[in-house]
Amino acid sequence: MNKYICLIDCDNFYTSCEQIFHPALRNKPVVVAGGKNGIVVARSKEAKAVGIPMGGATFEYRSLFTKEDVIVRTPNHTLYGDIAKRIRKTIDTFCLPTFIYSIDEVFLEIPEQSFSTTLLEAIQTKIKRWTGIDVSIGVSSTKTLAKVATKIAKKGKTRRKVLLDQEEINKTLSHFPIEDIWGVGRKSVKKLHLQKIKWAKDFLRAPDLFLKKLMGIHGFRIKKELLGENAYPFVEKVKDKSLQITRTFPTEIVSIKKIKEILSSFIEEGCEKLRKIDRKAEGFSLFLETSRFKAGGAFTKTFTLAEPSNYTPDFLQLKEEALCRLVDGDLFIKRAGIHFFCLVEATSSQQGLFTEKKESPALMKTLDAINEKYGKKTLRFAASTKRYSKESPSSKNYTTSWDQLLEIPI
């Protein structure tokens, strides 16, 4: 039985989330950027039209922002994550196999006999009605070709593109830029351009051995996908091996108390993620670094646990042990992070023979449930601090916090 691969891609997702609750932002140039002098991480179509690039630093475009009345919003990942979860639940109502690729992209597998443009329109309409987000949809025989179809769909009136006819696929790939192909990174683009490979059609003509030498087995798989052969399984079984949380700070930090609070919040977030994916860590490390532009030291401490854990207090205690001898001014800290490694399935991990059990899974389950229902950091350990940033999110957590529900004057 033939199956089609469908990619659902949210249009300008972060800015669209902001516009749901702020109608005044609609049809205006809006960017989401990390702080006053941060990096642009999302743009509305109007912001793209005035020439604001993805990844640009906001201070470099202040004059353009002023000239075009560009509105800058600070990221609110709690809001974006909840809207993404609502979109996935909406997609689940169609009872089709799904594969979540990113926060704003979901692959669907549709049996040939169930496929129709009416179905695609129904998906778009339901997501818009239930969440307020517009989506583009591309359909083809492989993930890579579905990505190509979605890029084309974003430029169309209906924001839908079905790319199944071989003649149309050949015509499309003949003028499709190599840098827009899913999986071809910047370094590979430079190498391919040096070999006069600028379009997808040129990529298909390249010998398999040449592509393997230039890009490894990944290049060969991309070629197979463009030829209509599935080189990537629909549901990729990723075996988690580690989990890392790091952050670079706007200014150097000398207070060890402040660093302890920040690392504690990282540990809270990391342990919650471990429990969510049903994993425990056998190893844990933390690090502190000074600015790479200054001569200075760094601090790293690694622990091997007696038994695997995802119990937050265990790691908070290890953090205290690691930093107990540091005092204010020992390091001018610009970057810090934690690393959980040697992850194992939580259900299969065994308790050590001589280890006294101190964990309380019920406590962690209750903590996670409350934070899931009422918003991140609703309940947190006293040792941690809220996200370290210069500014609070521009938007409120309308969908996850009772105290921040949208108010409508009547």
Side-chain angles (χ1 to χ4, degrees), residues 125-149:
T125 302
K126 198 169 191 178
I127 292 174
K128 176 67 174 179
R129 185 175 297 164
W130 286 20
T131 69
I133 298 294
D134 290 313
V135 298
S136 296
I137 299 180
V139 179
S140 195
S141 55
T142 69
K143 283 184 177 180
T144 305
L145 285 174
K147 274 275 193 178
V148 171

Side-chain angles (χ1 to χ4, degrees), residues 192-242:
L192 292 167
H193 281 182
L194 288 173
Q195 301 297 325
K196 308 298 183 183
I197 299 175
K198 296 184 177 181
W199 307 98
K201 64 175 182 179
D202 303 325
F203 190 89
L204 291 176
R205 292 170 184 166
D208 294 348
L209 290 177
F210 169 79
L211 292 177
K212 283 184 179 180
K213 184 177 181 181
L214 197 70
M215 300 175 61
I217 189 65
H218 187 55
F220 175 65
R221 287 173 177 167
I222 292 174
K223 181 178 178 179
K224 285 186 67 176
E225 288 264 318
L226 291 174
L227 289 171
E229 302 176 45
N230 285 288
Y232 303 110
F234 178 71
V235 179
E236 299 175 11
K237 295 182 179 180
V238 180
K239 188 174 182 180
D240 300 293
K241 295 182 179 180
S242 66

Side-chain angles (χ1 to χ4, degrees), residues 290-291 294-298 331:
T290 56
S291 172
K294 293 183 179 180
L331 292 172

Side-chain angles (χ1 to χ4, degrees), residues 75-315:
N76 183 345
H77 295 288
T78 300
L79 175 66
Y80 308 153
D82 187 67
I83 297 296
K85 183 172 68 176
R86 291 166 185 257
I87 290 171
R88 291 166 194 160
K89 287 184 177 180
T90 304
I91 293 171
D92 287 343
T93 63
F94 290 91
C95 301
L96 294 168
T98 62
F99 171 67
I100 298 170
Y101 177 65
S102 67
I103 190 172
D104 61 345
E105 294 176 288
V106 178
F107 283 103
L108 288 182
E109 193 175 52
I110 306 176
E112 184 179 6
Q113 67 270 24
S114 302
F115 175 76
S116 68
T117 53
T118 304
L119 172 62
L120 303 184
E121 185 178 0
I123 292 172
Q124 284 180 311
T125 302
K126 198 169 191 178
I127 292 174
K128 176 67 174 179
R129 185 175 297 164
W130 286 20
T131 69
I133 298 294
D134 290 313
V135 298
S136 296
I137 299 180
V139 179
S140 195
S141 55
T142 69
K143 283 184 177 180
T144 305
L145 285 174
K147 274 275 193 178
V148 171
T150 306
K151 280 189 173 290
I152 299 170
K154 285 180 176 293
K155 300 175 183 178
K157 186 177 180 180
T158 64
R159 301 190 313 282
R160 298 188 299 272
K161 179 62 180 178
V162 178
L163 198 58
L164 294 169
D165 180 73
Q166 190 58 53
E167 185 175 342
E168 186 181 6
I169 291 173
N170 295 339
K171 184 178 179 180
T172 300
L173 296 181
S174 67
H175 58 267
F176 196 84
I178 193 69
E179 57 267 25
D180 288 343
I181 294 178
W182 183 43
V184 180
R186 293 180 182 178
K187 292 183 178 179
S188 295
V189 168
K190 291 180 180 179
K191 293 178 183 178
L192 292 167
H193 281 182
L194 288 173
Q195 301 297 325
K196 308 298 183 183
I197 299 175
K198 296 184 177 181
W199 307 98
K201 64 175 182 179
D202 303 325
F203 190 89
L204 291 176
R205 292 170 184 166
D208 294 348
L209 290 177
F210 169 79
L211 292 177
K212 283 184 179 180
K213 184 177 181 181
L214 197 70
M215 300 175 61
I217 189 65
H218 187 55
F220 175 65
R221 287 173 177 167
I222 292 174
K223 181 178 178 179
K224 285 186 67 176
E225 288 264 318
L226 291 174
L227 289 171
E229 302 176 45
N230 285 288
Y232 303 110
F234 178 71
V235 179
E236 299 175 11
K237 295 182 179 180
V238 180
K239 188 174 182 180
D240 300 293
K241 295 182 179 180
S242 66
L243 189 155
Q244 190 173 28
I245 300 174
T246 66
R247 192 155 298 146
T248 300
F249 309 115
T251 57
E252 294 175 334
I253 301 174
V254 297
S255 168
I256 295 302
K257 180 177 181 293
K258 185 64 178 177
I259 282 295
K260 284 183 177 181
E261 291 176 350
I262 293 169
L263 289 177
S264 296
S265 68
F266 290 176
I267 289 170
E268 272 193 332
E269 182 181 347
C271 287
E272 182 180 349
K273 287 182 177 179
L274 288 177
R275 293 190 291 269
K276 193 170 184 179
I277 62 175
D278 196 31
R279 295 289 187 274
K280 290 185 176 182
E282 294 182 335
F284 171 72
S285 67
L286 56 82
F287 71 87
L288 309 173
E289 292 180 359
T290 56
S291 172
R292 58 181 175 144
F293 301 109
K294 293 183 179 180
F299 176 89
T300 303
K301 184 69 174 178
T302 300
F303 297 90
T304 300
L305 280 65
E307 62 177 284
S309 176
N310 57 21
Y311 186 56
T312 305
D314 287 347
F315 297 99

Side-chain angles (χ1 to χ4, degrees), residues 1-46:
M1 180 175 62
N2 291 332
K3 295 180 180 179
Y4 299 146
I5 304 298
C6 167
L7 175 61
I8 301 172
D9 189 352
C10 301
D11 296 335
N12 312 311
F13 182 57
Y14 286 1
T15 55
S16 294
C17 289
E18 296 287 346
Q19 290 167 337
I20 292 174
F21 301 98
H22 299 276
L25 299 182
R26 296 171 189 174
N27 303 315
K28 300 283 183 65
V30 180
V31 299
V32 175
K36 189 175 180 180
N37 294 322
I39 301 300
V40 174
V41 296
R43 307 161 294 164
S44 67
K45 63 180 181 180
E46 293 80 10

